[in-house]
């Protein structure tokens, strides 16, 4: 798929800002790596619309999500 994934850290885990919510392309190795794909720590929100995810991240966290420096969505 050519969409996007917004990783938002669960409140039950302490994840330092600005890494508590990060926007990725669906093909990014950071979210496709079995060792990093921990849904116990991360909530994953998917969409074909990048702007929707940025808006959602802003509403949930109070600031824009960090964009992954690897896949550069």
């Amino acid at each position: 798929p050519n969409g996007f994934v917004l990783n938002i850290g669960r409140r039950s885990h302490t994840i330092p800002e600005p890494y508590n919510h990060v926007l990725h392309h669906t093909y990014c190795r950071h979210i496709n790596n079995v060792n990093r794909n921990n849904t116990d720590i991360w909530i994953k929100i998917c969409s074909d619309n990048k702007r929707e995810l940025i808006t959602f991240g802003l509403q949930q966290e109070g600031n824009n999500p960090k964009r992954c420096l690897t896949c550069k969505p």
Side-chain angles (χ1 to χ4, degrees):
N2 294 321
F4 303 92
V5 176
L6 179 61
N7 255 1
I8 296 181
R10 293 189 183 274
R11 301 274 184 247
S12 58
H13 291 78
T14 303
I15 300 169
E17 289 187 30
Y19 302 102
N20 60 340
H21 63 303
V22 181
L23 184 66
H24 300 271
H25 278 289
T26 53
Y27 58 76
C28 182
R29 66 183 171 96
H30 290 160
I31 60 167
N32 288 314
N33 182 325
V34 171
N35 295 325
R36 295 183 182 180
N37 196 14
N38 189 336
T39 55
D40 290 338
I41 297 172
W42 298 101
I43 299 168
K44 298 182 181 309
I45 298 99
C46 306
S47 177
D48 290 330
N49 186 317
K50 179 170 58 172
R51 176 60 38 204
E52 282 180 356
L53 291 178
I54 291 170
T55 300
F56 182 82
L58 177 61
Q59 291 170 345
Q60 295 298 308
E61 300 296 323
N63 53 25
N64 285 326
K66 179 173 175 50
R67 293 173 195 235
C68 175
L69 297 177
T70 301
C71 66
K72 298 177 175 66

